[in-house]
Amino acid sequence: MNVQFKKGVLTLCVMALSMNKDHYGYELVKNISAKFLIAEGTIYPLLRRLTKEGYFSTYLVESQEGPPRKYYKLTELGRKHVLELIDDWETFSNGVNQIIEEGMKGDAN
């Protein structure tokens, strides 16, 4: 998949997955990679930025499999922002789908 497509929707994917469940970074990588391939290194700078912007808070949980895991919890500001992103995405993707359908039909005249 085109790298620019992925970069453009990765914020939306991370935030949408976090709406009802807190996640740690690698868990997000696995969940998203099940749908389309992403590099593990792309998630952590994104999570740092979203946390700095106030969309996530973080906390540590001890892990039996290694060091403590940093979990990311969507804040109220983050919840409002992701709902706006989802609305924007739906408008955008519906428009793109309509254009694709028109293009696939060709000129009917």
Side-chain angles (χ1 to χ4, degrees):
M1 185 182 292
N2 182 295
V3 172
Q4 292 304 316
F5 283 166
K6 284 194 255 186
K7 282 184 179 180
V9 299
L10 199 52
T11 297
L12 173 59
C13 293
V14 165
M15 293 183 80
L17 282 172
S18 301
M19 288 183 71
N20 294 309
K21 181 179 185 279
D22 301 349
H23 294 278
Y24 58 94
Y26 186 66
E27 183 180 27
L28 287 165
V29 171
K30 288 191 306 184
N31 288 342
I32 294 169
S33 290
K35 308 290 188 271
F36 57 89
L37 187 61
I38 62 167
E40 184 176 345
T42 60
I43 288 290
Y44 296 102
L46 174 64
L47 288 169
R48 279 192 296 277
R49 178 178 60 82
L50 293 172
T51 301
K52 185 177 180 183
E53 292 172 354
Y55 297 136
F56 281 104
S57 61
T58 62
Y59 60 93
L60 293 176
V61 174
E62 291 297 324
S63 171
Q64 295 178 349
E65 301 163 7
R69 292 181 174 153
K70 183 186 282 188
Y71 277 78
Y72 293 83
K73 178 180 181 63
L74 207 56
T75 63
E76 195 55 41
L77 180 64
R79 192 166 298 284
K80 289 177 185 174
H81 185 63
V82 72
L83 292 174
E84 292 170 1
L85 290 176
I86 290 168
D87 187 52
D88 290 347
W89 173 258
E90 288 173 349
T91 301
F92 176 77
S93 63
N94 286 337
V96 170
N97 287 335
Q98 289 173 9
I99 290 168
I100 291 170
E101 287 173 19
E102 288 175 24
M104 297 296 286
K105 289 179 187 173
D107 188 7
N109 293 329

